[in-house]
Amino acid sequence: MRLVQFILPDRGRRVGLVEEDTVHDLTALREGWTLLYHVFREAQGAGRTVEKHIQALLQQNEAPRLPYEPLWDNRPGDDGGWLLPPLDHPDPTHCIIGGTGLTHTGSMTQRDAMHEDQNAKQTDSEKMFSMGLEGGKPAPGERGIAPECFYKGRGFIMRPHNGFLDIPSFAEDGGEEPEIVGCYIIGEDGTPYRLGFAIGDEWSDHAMEQVNYLWLAPSKLRTCAIGPELITDHPFKDIRGSCRIYRQDKTIYDSGELLTGEEHMSHSLANLEDHHFKHPQFRVPGDVHLYFFGTSKFSFGNRGPLADGDRIEIEFSGMGAPLVNYVRRIPPDDTPIIVRKG
């Protein structure tokens, strides 16, 4: 099932089901479904999954249909309506965004080159990746080795399909990381529920990270993009895709084939989820979690600095329509933040 959230200027926020080139407007059938979050809460009360709950509604009613292409083409604020990230929270402070890295062979190679120490027998990146290969896919019921993990921010940093990804004035650079994102809501009893997966651009400052790998954590404190669709029924085993960056009509980067899913990773999905949600602060009832699972390639080191208006397009097999975003450089401002006495 392919689910989207979108805005129609004259009718407000909507939840939709995508089938081929059509969007079924579910909110027209259930007025309270202005967020997928609301659908989940209602499905929980009925003892169903989101997928089964939507199917039950559509068995009794036929939803109005909209053409999908104009929504996908439009940018935020356009007259005809536009797409939103496919999962968020009514209060962005309760949407937690994080992720993991060094889960794919390709990313280990690039990160290893960034962190290389000629005097070291094995870099920290190599050590972390080797640990994943040895213990990242435990038997059912066992806890495997912990992955690298990081925190990006809360729902305020999330950008929709066709939205801007910012390079702040204090940043060294901005760079895409094409990934799959796990989409979760914590139930009332503290149990994490996975609604499905979406395409994501994790967006990081690799130039900053290259100076010193201990700056990896702040290099992640940037905007990110998720969408345009949430896929409820993907097996997350063998997913293939690509990323291209365009400057006007010229391609300035082409990733070639990207490989993700468990067959191409050093950790199982269950192990990554276990090590994220083992922390009690990540099991607060009602919270939304968006978790990036890592990439196999990124463009840093294979192109010059990104410029205003550069277009980034990411697609993955079985994950619906491609995710498109645009680069926006924030004008320089070296004015320090002054903290006042309260």
Side-chain angles (χ1 to χ4, degrees), residues 42-85:
E42 189 177 303
Q44 284 276 288
R48 300 187 183 117
T49 65
V50 165
E51 194 173 26
K52 295 294 185 183
H53 199 52
I54 291 173
Q55 289 172 346
L57 175 69
L58 292 177
Q59 286 173 357
Q60 301 173 6
N61 305 275
E62 183 172 347
R65 302 184 182 194
L66 304 168
Y68 185 31
E69 187 173 359
L71 285 173
W72 187 88
D73 282 338
N74 287 350
R75 299 180 69 167
D78 283 354
D79 290 341
W82 61 93
L83 292 167
L84 298 167

Side-chain angles (χ1 to χ4, degrees), residues 202-239:
E202 195 258 297
W203 197 243
S204 186
D205 188 341
H206 302 111
M208 179 183 185
E209 180 188 347
Q210 188 178 41
V211 174
N212 189 314
Y213 77 94
L214 295 178
W215 277 352
L216 181 143
S219 78
K220 298 295 186 181
L221 300 178
R222 303 291 186 267
T223 53
C224 63
I226 296 170
E229 303 174 22
L230 187 152
I231 309 301
T232 63
D233 53 359
H234 201 286
F236 196 68
K237 295 295 182 183
D238 177 18
I239 304 174

Side-chain angles (χ1 to χ4, degrees), residues 1-145:
M1 184 173 282
R2 301 163 60 190
L3 300 175
V4 293
Q5 297 189 127
F6 60 102
I7 284 184
L8 296 178
D10 59 340
R11 282 179 274 177
R13 284 189 60 132
R14 329 290 290 172
V15 175
L17 168 66
V18 178
E19 289 185 341
E20 298 180 348
D21 58 355
T22 298
V23 178
H24 299 263
D25 184 355
L26 302 178
T27 309
L29 298 180
R30 190 80 98 234
E31 188 175 312
W33 287 10
T34 55
L35 286 85
L36 186 54
Y37 182 87
H38 298 146
V39 183
F40 169 82
R41 296 295 295 269
E42 189 177 303
Q44 284 276 288
R48 300 187 183 117
T49 65
V50 165
E51 194 173 26
K52 295 294 185 183
H53 199 52
I54 291 173
Q55 289 172 346
L57 175 69
L58 292 177
Q59 286 173 357
Q60 301 173 6
N61 305 275
E62 183 172 347
R65 302 184 182 194
L66 304 168
Y68 185 31
E69 187 173 359
L71 285 173
W72 187 88
D73 282 338
N74 287 350
R75 299 180 69 167
D78 283 354
D79 290 341
W82 61 93
L83 292 167
L84 298 167
L87 178 64
D88 56 359
H89 192 285
D91 178 355
T93 61
H94 289 281
C95 178
I96 292 90
I97 304 174
T100 183
L102 293 173
T103 52
H104 296 69
T105 304
S107 66
M108 187 280 294
T109 302
Q110 285 188 280
R111 289 274 291 282
D112 182 49
M114 290 165 61
H115 303 160
E116 187 174 7
D117 180 350
Q118 297 297 338
N119 297 317
K121 292 183 179 179
Q122 190 180 44
T123 67
D124 288 333
S125 295
E126 290 173 324
K127 291 177 185 177
M128 182 63 72
F129 187 74
S130 296
M131 290 165 64
L133 289 175
E134 294 169 7
K137 294 184 176 180
E142 296 182 5
R143 173 163 286 165
I145 195 73

Side-chain angles (χ1 to χ4, degrees), residues 247-318:
R247 182 165 296 158
Q248 297 177 349
D249 295 328
K250 180 181 178 182
T251 302
I252 62 171
Y253 172 74
D254 187 334
S255 68
E257 187 175 49
L258 299 173
L259 302 175
T260 189
E262 287 183 304
E263 291 182 10
H264 308 288
M265 298 171 67
S266 56
H267 290 263
S268 66
L269 174 62
N271 194 54
L272 295 175
E273 292 177 333
D274 171 45
H275 281 290
H276 181 69
F277 291 112
K278 70 184 180 186
H279 301 286
Q281 64 266 40
F282 289 161
R283 298 196 306 275
V284 176
D287 280 358
V288 168
H289 284 254
L290 299 165
Y291 197 69
F292 286 84
F293 293 130
T295 186
S296 61
K297 293 180 188 177
F298 45 79
S299 66
F300 180 73
N302 296 290
R303 44 93 180 149
L306 294 177
D308 266 341
D310 286 351
R311 172 187 168 106
I312 304 168
E313 185 168 325
I314 301 169
E315 59 183 341
F316 282 108
S317 59

